[in-house]
Amino acid sequence: MEAKAHLKYLRMSPRKVKIVCDLIRGKDVATATAYIMQTPKAACEPVLKVLKSAVANAENNHGMDAGSLYVSTAVANPGPTLKRGMPRAQGRFNRILKRTTHVTIGVSEKN
């Protein structure tokens, strides 16, 4: 049984969030939390919030023991991209892509 938590439309590039997701995938929850707390990345704050939510879902909705949980899935998929622009020299217009991310974290019990 896997308990999941989702964060949709995070205003951060998926490339930046995937670094943190790769860091915690497969680790137990205590170790993953410690890694996130010590990593100086902007994506750590929202990923930690989703991880805590997944652990709370596992405890409250599925009756799992918090001490035996590990991060079974940590995925950062691209969401919709906001298209903006900026005026440039000689009347030109450069497009700016403001990317969003959907983060999914799943926790399971160790056997």
Side-chain angles (χ1 to χ4, degrees), residues 33-110:
T33 304
Y35 276 24
I36 291 174
M37 296 291 278
Q38 296 299 317
T39 304
K41 293 279 186 187
C44 285
E45 186 178 342
V47 170
L48 179 62
K49 195 170 181 179
V50 179
L51 178 61
K52 287 181 179 179
S53 178
V55 171
N57 288 342
E59 287 179 307
N60 297 320
N61 300 343
H62 301 290
M64 297 180 189
D65 178 34
S68 65
L69 293 176
Y70 74 100
V71 181
S72 55
T73 58
V75 182
N77 293 323
T81 302
L82 304 173
K83 280 122 182 139
R84 301 292 183 259
M86 180 178 282
R88 305 305 291 208
Q90 299 180 0
R92 292 187 174 91
F93 189 75
N94 273 9
R95 178 172 273 184
I96 296 175
L97 301 177
K98 295 183 179 270
R99 300 185 187 277
T100 61
T101 305
H102 299 324
V103 182
T104 303
I105 293 184
V107 293
S108 298
E109 279 187 314
K110 292 180 184 172

Side-chain angles (χ1 to χ4, degrees), residues 12 16-25 27 30-48 51:
M12 193 175 296
K16 296 175 183 178
V17 181
K18 281 180 186 179
I19 294 170
V20 179
C21 287
D22 292 342
L23 188 67
I24 65 169
R25 191 178 300 114
K27 308 279 191 297
T31 306
T33 304
Y35 276 24
I36 291 174
M37 296 291 278
Q38 296 299 317
T39 304
K41 293 279 186 187
C44 285
E45 186 178 342
V47 170
L48 179 62
L51 178 61

